[in-house]
Amino acid sequence: MLTGKQSWVFESKPIIRATGTIGGPFEAKGRLAEEFDLLHDNLWMGESSYEKAQTVLIEQACEQAIQKSGLNKEQIQFMLSGDLVNQLTPSTFAGRSLKIPYIGLFGACSTSMEGLAMAAYLVDSKGANHVVTVASSHNAATEKQFRYPTEYGGQKPPTSQWTVTAAGAAVVSTEGKGPRVTSATIGKIVDMGLSDPFNMGGAMAPAAVDTLEAHFNDTQTSPADYDLIVSGDLGEIGLAIAKDLCQQKGIQLKENQFKDCGLMIYREGQPVLAGASGPGCSAVVTYGHLLNRLKARDLNKILVIATGALLSPLSFQQKESIPCIAHAVSIEAAEVSL
Amino acid sequence: MLTGKQSWVFESKPIIRATGTIGGPFEAKGRLAEEFDLLHDNLWMGESSYEKAQTVLIEQACEQAIQKSGLNKEQIQFMLSGDLVNQLTPSTFAGRSLKIPYIGLFGACSTSMEGLAMAAYLVDSKGANHVVTVASSHNAATEKQFRYPTEYGGQKPPTSQWTVTAAGAAVVSTEGKGPRVTSATIGKIVDMGLSDPFNMGGAMAPAAVDTLEAHFNDTQTSPADYDLIVSGDLGEIGLAIAKDLCQQKGIQLKENQFKDCGLMIYREGQPVLAGASGPGCSAVVTYGHLLNRLKARDLNKILVIATGALLSPLSFQQKESIPCIAHAVSIEAAEVSL
């Protein structure tokens, strides 16, 4: 149900009944390795192209989530999927093999929460009993498309981020057991004129704070209502800017209350420059690590703000700045085990 | 509300309160020229690239629709937009200037009805009072990205289709005056193994009929419930195949009951080979011509099935076949003028 200008409150609190998190070899060396369902030991996943490998990631994430949910594929009404590849090629081919009625979404790295918001919305408003939502990225497929093939060995500045190779899926249901989705805020596109594709965290920070502010206004909440606020993939530079902007806007955060998925997934010492990024990043950190903490009651209520840089190689070539967006979803630990 | 396996019935019958339809010079010579709000006399629309020209089409379509709705931009809760360009570049940049909370969709040429289905769903379930949904394409931007720059003068076989230069937008509302959206069916991805990007109508026909069958089963309706069934852009070849498939599946159509937007927009003699295509095609034919016929009570109830070929240049290069999808939305003439 619409709340305020651009938010929904989910009265039935749809349940994240099960998740599937699949990663690649670099993620296998990361800090959250033990919280993945499955980790591949190379980037090809037995396929002949990186894009086909990404399709495998999506299929496996959905299959894991559906299997763990105790449902069968035919009981899932809709699949919501998005990724960074042109025309959502990996999502499309995964949708073809999964044969679930399909809604394609594009929000760059914000796709994880765009999908979770829509999935929870559909379940809350009786448009579906069970929805699977999935977001993914593949490091080499992304580098090849947006920058240079990794084989070129191009150098990057320290402000750039490392695209995660991973897919994270969630089955959102009217019934079952698991953490619950309580509200969502759909962001506006914000563009502060930054045009450096090697500093996307900096470009995305204002969009994250714009959505954060809209969320608190719309739902009449404040940071005090959340144990943790987690951005999608602002990285070190973007997170610092976002914290500054929060302070300027009077959004009062406690120490260590605002973290970033892009700074959680890898270990110190992994060469990821300013942090991780990609739609798969916030998807696996949320559906793996953060939900585990909610299930363990280490956290009771969190707000995930997935940020997306909606640039394209073409908009960069045409000397445009980077339009950014962020969508926020609040998740709480289940009150009762049903 | 979920009906059957993959459909929604909209009990409140959301109202298409106003629309905006913008076209290019080729559309200005077409059969439906008089039903556009605005026609440009060249493909550049005053911009320095075709993609930026497409952004102008989207902005103008939304602005027209919002202005005609009597609402102001701040009253519109969400903008749903999609197009064919990589990373939805034109949609993103239009979303940036319109500043309406933004949900990016990708369904290739099915985006028009993916957007209308979601917009009507949000309005029906009280997730929004007013939503603007828009789909667009630009002939030269599409040719450049998917095939060859038009300046090369490449030859095409007679099975190929002509991408429409147009954007169609609709403001869908809880109140107002206008035709009403009564149900929608979200399609599965269907791939019959066709791999010729110059015969997309043929590839898409099975997806259209799959969704048609699902729609009739889910909503317990039959072709007899509709005055007209209109596919998105199957073109001559695809429409003939779809009619054959309907017959095989026992879907009984009256003569002239099943038409195609891709065969309605241009005049005989315009060199469009097997017909028109592109997300803008079904958007402007529906929001212009078809809604005019509903308003005139020349038609009372229609079903629009927008079809999409979810291929990418990359999937073609990797020798994949073409995954296709179709989403159906039923629209009826307003019962009462409110």
Side-chain angles (χ1 to χ4, degrees), chain B residues 101-132:
Chain B
Y102 172 91
I103 297 173
L105 301 176
F106 180 75
C109 307
S110 73
T111 304
S112 61
M113 291 304 119
E114 182 181 352
L116 184 59
M118 295 301 304
Y121 186 92
L122 286 173
V123 167
D124 183 57
S125 55
K126 303 191 195 310
N129 301 316
H130 312 290
V131 175
V132 66

Side-chain angles (χ1 to χ4, degrees), chain B:
Chain B
M1 180 183 262
L2 182 68
T3 303
K5 286 187 172 181
Q6 62 199 81
S7 302
W8 300 312
V9 162
F10 305 127
E11 283 168 20
S12 71
K13 300 185 179 179
I15 296 151
I16 303 179
R17 183 168 165 142
T19 61
T21 49
I22 317 289
F26 207 69
E27 293 62 40
K29 292 180 188 152
R31 198 184 287 154
L32 305 181
E34 288 182 6
E35 302 191 72
F36 280 82
D37 288 309
L38 190 64
L39 288 159
H40 288 268
D41 61 8
N42 77 61
L43 281 173
W44 295 96
M45 288 125 208
E47 297 294 325
S48 57
S49 77
Y50 294 135
E51 296 80 15
K52 291 184 183 183
Q54 190 173 339
T55 298
V56 170
L57 289 175
I58 302 170
E59 289 168 346
Q60 290 180 336
C62 292
E63 281 159 6
Q64 277 283 337
I66 294 169
Q67 193 194 318
K68 283 159 68 183
S69 75
L71 299 166
N72 61 53
K73 225 176 53 181
E74 290 65 35
Q75 290 172 282
I76 312 283
Q77 274 90 27
F78 305 106
M79 169 179 177
L80 309 180
S81 184
D83 59 71
L84 284 170
V85 178
N86 295 343
Q87 286 78 51
L88 309 187
T89 302
S91 289
T92 296
F93 283 88
R96 178 179 75 173
S97 61
L98 290 164
K99 297 186 175 60
I100 301 170
Y102 172 91
I103 297 173
L105 301 176
F106 180 75
C109 307
S110 73
T111 304
S112 61
M113 291 304 119
E114 182 181 352
L116 184 59
M118 295 301 304
Y121 186 92
L122 286 173
V123 167
D124 183 57
S125 55
K126 303 191 195 310
N129 301 316
H130 312 290
V131 175
V132 66
T133 177
V134 58
S136 62
S137 44
H138 187 294
N139 183 280
T142 307
E143 290 297 318
K144 175 178 132 187
Q145 180 182 275
F146 282 90
R147 299 173 194 107
Y148 303 102
T150 45
E151 292 83 351
Y152 284 14
Q155 298 288 306
K156 287 186 175 189
T159 51
S160 64
Q161 293 173 239
W162 179 273
T163 304
V164 165
T165 300
V171 172
V172 182
S173 292
T174 48
E175 54 188 28
K177 200 171 150 181
R180 309 182 76 140
V181 187
T182 50
S183 70
T185 299
I186 298 296
K188 285 181 196 169
I189 296 176
V190 175
D191 184 340
M192 301 302 282
L194 277 81
S195 59
D196 178 3
F198 290 113
N199 180 7
M200 295 204 293
M204 294 190 292
V209 178
D210 189 76
T211 297
L212 209 50
E213 208 179 9
H215 179 79
F216 293 136
N217 286 337
D218 281 354
T219 60
Q220 310 213 340
T221 54
S222 77
D225 290 292
Y226 294 102
D227 298 329
L228 193 64
I229 296 167
V230 196
S231 51
D233 47 5
L234 293 175
E236 252 176 71
I237 292 157
L239 183 63
I241 296 172
K243 283 180 177 174
D244 278 356
L245 286 171
C246 282
Q247 202 166 23
Q248 283 173 32
K249 287 175 182 274
I251 299 172
Q252 297 197 325
L253 297 163
K254 283 172 282 188
E255 204 170 326
N256 291 324
Q257 192 184 11
F258 192 178
K259 300 204 167 178
D260 184 65
C261 295
L263 296 172
M264 296 161 86
I265 189 166
Y266 295 123
R267 277 183 214 284
E268 275 189 46
Q270 284 187 291
V272 299
L273 301 161
S277 66
C281 174
S282 51
V284 292
V285 174
T286 303
Y287 299 147
H289 175 67
L290 293 171
L291 288 197
N292 284 342
R293 290 185 64 187
L294 285 165
K295 286 177 197 164
R297 300 299 170 108
D298 171 30
L299 294 170
N300 281 308
K301 195 158 179 188
I302 63 170
L303 184 68
V304 183
I305 320 158
T307 44
L310 303 171
L311 84 168
S312 67
L314 189 114
S315 68
F316 172 73
Q317 287 156 7
Q318 295 182 357
K319 304 199 191 319
E320 277 285 359
S321 52
I322 303 176
C324 296
I325 198 162
H327 304 299
V329 177
S330 66
I331 310 172
E332 61 182 40
E335 281 158 38
V336 255
S337 298
L338 297 176

